Amino acid sequence: MAAESTLLLSLLKSGDEIVASDDLYGGTRRIFDRVMKNFGIRYKTFNLADHVDRRIFKGKKMVWIETPSNPLMKIIDIKEIAEYAHENDCILVVDNTFASPYFQNPLKFGADIVVHSTTKYINGHSDSLGGAIVLDDKEMYEKIKFNQNAIGAVLSPFDSFLTLRGIKTLALRMERHQANAMEIARYLESKREVEQVFYPGLESFQYHETAKRQMRGFGGMLSFKVRRNVSAFLKNLKYFSLAESLGGVESLVELPFFMTHASIPEKERRRLGITENLVRMSVGIEDISDLIEDIENALRASSVHKNF
Ligand SMILES: *Cc1c(COP(=O)(O)O)cnc(C)c1O
């Protein structure tokens, strides 16, 4: 969030407007809603994963997207959005936290700026908070660099040490996160206790083709809807901790409706498809047979109990 606020305060001024994708990280929505608003910076969200109307970018200063998105794993075509943004002299920012730089490099597809929460995959051990801004433009870099120092959004030496330690195994971890997530997604898809699975690596997934065009791998995040008793499912998991955050070596599970996305008005949550039975998983690097066995037991428990 320090990286995001430095970026926003460096490049925008009162009266500017942002176009954002609708499936946004809660903290980003909060900074737009509760902080930037007080500086006269407004934003509007749109579904930028399907049928984008290029007129919405007219007169705007910045476009902010997340792909894959959180929690529904929607994939936005970065190249297409970059084209629309640049027709209107807009800066395109891509939050690349979910894919990590190992699987996706948005600058290659025309993005101007990439942001990462290094708290997640880049550090990878759930023991440090930080962020990164990646860009290839000297002028914007100088502005942001000056403001980073002036505002004080600076990582401590110890957090820097932890993040550098983590980044050394990024490639190994991402390969394992992806392999485990792929197996779990396929497994879930085959179970009658599961209504729907959201994972960009599944051929049946709505956005699979777009994902293949811009990603080298599909990452370790997935979501799915449990048909019957979702709380029985959660209670019976042994290896997945019930927690927010993501991208660490240990598997986590959470309910976006009640946790990460609870601050979005209920009507809006439902419109987006974030329902009570939606489960988000951050698949860790544990032994895959242990994880599958754990999910199998929990799914069985979900189906013998009555509805939610
Ligand atoms: C966690 C997260 C952030 C914010 O990162 P912090 O490290 O918690 O400040 C931003 N974007 C996405 C997609 C995230 O998952």
Side-chain angles (χ1 to χ4, degrees):
M1 296 318 299
E4 287 191 14
S5 39
T6 305
L7 171 63
L8 292 165
L9 292 171
S10 301
L11 302 178
L12 298 177
K13 57 179 187 334
S14 180
D16 287 347
E17 284 186 42
I18 305 168
V19 170
S21 49
D22 56 5
D23 209 9
L24 267 191
Y25 172 68
T28 303
R29 195 181 274 263
R30 185 172 54 197
I31 209 173
F32 287 168
D33 261 341
R34 310 274 298 270
V35 183
M36 291 304 145
K37 205 173 126 195
N38 299 329
F39 294 89
I41 295 161
R42 311 215 152 257
Y43 84 106
K44 251 198 190 146
T45 59
F46 296 91
N47 175 358
L48 298 179
D50 313 282
H51 314 296
V52 184
D53 179 352
R54 63 211 302 159
R55 287 171 303 186
I56 62 176
F57 302 94
K58 203 161 184 287
K60 306 296 193 292
K61 259 291 159 33
M62 182 178 278
V63 182
W64 190 290
I65 64 173
E66 261 177 59
T67 180
S69 76
N70 176 13
L72 291 168
M73 311 303 295
K74 285 197 221 168
I75 305 291
I76 296 173
D77 188 330
I78 301 171
K79 208 167 149 199
E80 183 192 8
I81 301 296
E83 191 187 308
Y84 299 158
H86 295 154
E87 274 171 11
N88 294 283
D89 290 322
C90 269
I91 299 165
L92 173 60
V93 181
V94 180
D95 185 333
N96 202 31
T97 299
F98 267 40
S100 90
Y102 183 71
F103 283 138
Q104 179 170 268
N105 305 109
L107 295 187
K108 270 202 210 152
F109 298 95
D112 301 293
I113 299 179
V114 172
V115 295
H116 284 283
S117 165
T118 61
T119 308
K120 316 294 167 54
Y121 287 111
I122 290 181
N123 175 59
H125 296 71
S126 315
D127 54 11
S128 163
L129 303 178
I133 301 172
V134 184
L135 73 170
D136 185 17
D137 180 293
K138 188 112 203 295
E139 201 182 317
M140 278 198 289
Y141 168 79
E142 294 295 347
K143 235 189 231 174
I144 295 168
K145 184 82 191 151
F146 175 85
N147 281 345
Q148 180 194 16
N149 182 50
I151 293 167
V154 181
L155 205 61
S156 80
F158 189 60
D159 284 294
S160 305
F161 160 78
L162 287 173
T163 305
L164 287 169
R165 175 258 353 223
I167 214 170
K168 290 182 172 88
T169 55
L170 180 67
L172 291 170
R173 285 185 284 108
M174 291 317 293
E175 290 291 353
R176 180 63 171 253
H177 282 298
Q178 153 164 269
N180 282 357
M182 193 71 218
E183 278 218 35
I184 290 176
R186 288 218 176 99
Y187 170 80
L188 289 169
E189 206 179 29
S190 75
K191 302 300 285 183
R192 62 184 167 74
E193 293 93 338
V194 175
E195 193 180 302
Q196 197 180 355
V197 184
F198 306 85
Y199 183 63
L202 287 176
E203 265 140 43
S204 59
F205 190 56
Q206 187 186 352
Y207 303 102
H208 180 64
E209 289 306 315
T210 322
K212 274 204 306 198
R213 274 203 303 276
Q214 62 193 26
M215 302 177 80
R216 288 184 297 275
F218 307 109
M221 295 300 297
L222 59 87
S223 303
F224 57 97
K225 292 189 175 179
V226 174
R227 245 183 239 290
R228 301 285 294 275
N229 192 320
V230 74
S231 29
F233 174 76
L234 293 176
K235 278 198 198 107
N236 284 278
L237 283 170
K238 265 198 329 227
Y239 299 136
F240 292 79
S241 308
L242 181 67
E244 298 193 0
S245 200
L246 61 109
V249 291
E250 285 127 354
S251 290
L252 303 177
V253 72
E254 65 109 5
L255 295 181
F257 186 90
F258 299 101
M259 299 168 67
T260 45
H261 294 66
S263 63
I264 302 172
E266 182 174 336
K267 218 173 119 202
E268 174 77 353
R269 261 177 286 164
R270 292 197 190 283
R271 194 186 61 77
L272 294 170
I274 303 172
T275 48
E276 289 96 329
N277 64 338
L278 180 74
V279 176
R280 187 188 82 177
M281 259 183 188
S282 172
V283 179
I285 63 165
E286 302 93 336
D287 185 280
I288 186 62
S289 51
D290 287 343
L291 295 180
I292 299 265
E293 189 186 300
D294 200 25
I295 295 170
E296 178 137 22
N297 286 332
L299 279 180
R300 202 173 302 128
S302 81
S303 69
V304 298
H305 292 78
K306 277 260 153 54
N307 278 340
F308 184 74

